[in-house]
Amino acid sequence: MTTPHILMCPPDHYGIEYEINPWMSRTRGASPDHARQQWRNLHDTLVQLGVQIELMTPQPGLPDLVFTANAGLVFGNRFFSSQFTHPERQCETPHFDAWFAAHGFTVEYLPEGVYFEGAGDALFCGPTLYAGYRIRSHAAGHIHLGNVLQRMVLPLELVDKRFYHLDTCFCPLAPGQAIYFPGAFDNYGRTVLEKHIPHLIPVIESEAERFACNAVVVGKKVVINAGSDRLAADLHAAGYECHFVKLDEFIKAGGSAKCLTLRLDGEDAAVWGD
Ligand code: ARG
């Protein structure tokens, strides 16, 4: 196995400075010390699992830059830059683009006016791109990517505002295997998932609310926010080992383990080759 490679950004300027999803409330601010400690634990857990971490430089005034999953979509050495819905996050783009350009990626853009929030909403499971739309990303952007990459795209409408990015309610584990929270999708979306992914592990609502689906998968190890015992048991039965890291300071912003990372070499569940 080649060394898994992940991009993170230290939480030096992290905080709840605006409200762009139902989890965020300026009256419930984050504790900088706890956030720093929790982020460090996630970082160190990934390093222990053999992951090589790259670090972005934190920027003042960009509290959500820690959520590197939203930088864009990585495919080989191509980086498809996000086009954020909210002005509050749009200033992150030049920083992400500069990092990718400086690290040997070709930076590419979606058509103008199309919203797209990167690996938060676009996740490969096997050769297929599963694509969340309506709340943060437009379906048109996903279709565009499918054409450019010559991959099948399955757009999934996100119907519950709490699960506003696909990576808050769906997590590929391996080709043909994924975790999901059924309540975040409509009947059509659930049917699409059931039809295309033979091994689906459902998450109960109380654990989905703790961001159980927002997991970092490294081979057979799954790193998630603490407190999802039911999912841990189901994952164990499926041959996976859970590593819990307390990340409640980041849930205050609507993110957890997966959002704080961006896989640079392709998720284990993704099949990019022809
Ligand atoms: N506060 C950030 C936002 O609302 C959180 C992003 C979480 N990222 C994710 N990939 N789900 O945009």
Side-chain angles (χ1 to χ4, degrees), residues 149-168:
L149 299 175
Q150 290 290 292
R151 287 290 179 276
M152 180 161 88
V153 176
L154 294 176
L156 300 163
E157 184 164 352
L158 301 177
V159 301
D160 182 330
K161 286 195 173 66
R162 292 170 302 166
F163 304 101
Y164 59 97
H165 277 139
L166 184 62
D167 71 358
T168 65

Side-chain angles (χ1 to χ4, degrees), residues 15-167:
I16 314 299
E17 292 174 18
Y18 44 75
E19 297 168 7
I20 58 171
N21 68 51
W23 304 92
M24 300 176 90
S25 162
R26 268 168 296 186
T27 57
R28 222 178 29 247
S31 146
D33 287 346
H34 290 160
R36 218 185 317 274
Q37 191 54 49
Q38 294 183 357
W39 184 91
R40 177 51 59 186
N41 289 345
L42 174 64
H43 173 279
D44 293 354
T45 301
L46 292 171
V47 169
Q48 274 157 27
L49 295 180
V51 175
Q52 183 187 332
I53 309 276
E54 301 290 337
L55 293 179
M56 293 265 305
T57 307
Q59 301 293 330
L62 296 179
D64 277 339
L65 196 68
V66 289
F67 297 113
T68 52
N70 297 122
L73 179 75
V74 177
F75 189 91
N77 70 344
R78 302 172 76 176
F79 172 69
F80 293 89
S81 183
S82 284
Q83 297 178 171
F84 286 96
T85 303
H86 295 284
E88 290 87 339
R89 293 203 66 185
Q90 287 166 359
C91 296
E92 295 176 28
T93 293
H95 298 281
F96 286 128
D97 290 357
W99 190 92
F100 279 89
H103 289 80
F105 290 83
T106 306
V107 179
E108 298 180 51
Y109 299 95
L110 272 67
E112 224 183 292
V114 167
Y115 291 133
F116 172 64
E117 298 205 353
D121 270 334
L123 298 164
F124 279 97
C125 188
T128 304
L129 187 64
Y130 292 83
Y133 72 93
R134 179 168 143 185
I135 302 178
R136 293 294 185 87
S137 297
H138 287 150
H142 298 309
I143 305 299
H144 171 85
L145 280 171
N147 290 334
V148 172
L149 299 175
Q150 290 290 292
R151 287 290 179 276
M152 180 161 88
V153 176
L154 294 176
L156 300 163
E157 184 164 352
L158 301 177
V159 301
D160 182 330
K161 286 195 173 66
R162 292 170 302 166
F163 304 101
Y164 59 97
H165 277 139
L166 184 62
D167 71 358

Side-chain angles (χ1 to χ4, degrees), residues 241-268:
E241 189 184 282
C242 271
H243 293 255
F244 289 117
V245 178
K246 196 167 182 250
L247 289 167
D248 53 335
E249 287 301 330
F250 295 96
I251 288 178
K252 291 176 180 171
S256 185
K258 166 75 185 201
C259 311
L260 292 165
T261 65
L262 180 63
R263 190 78 184 247
L264 297 168
D265 59 329
E267 310 284 336
D268 296 327

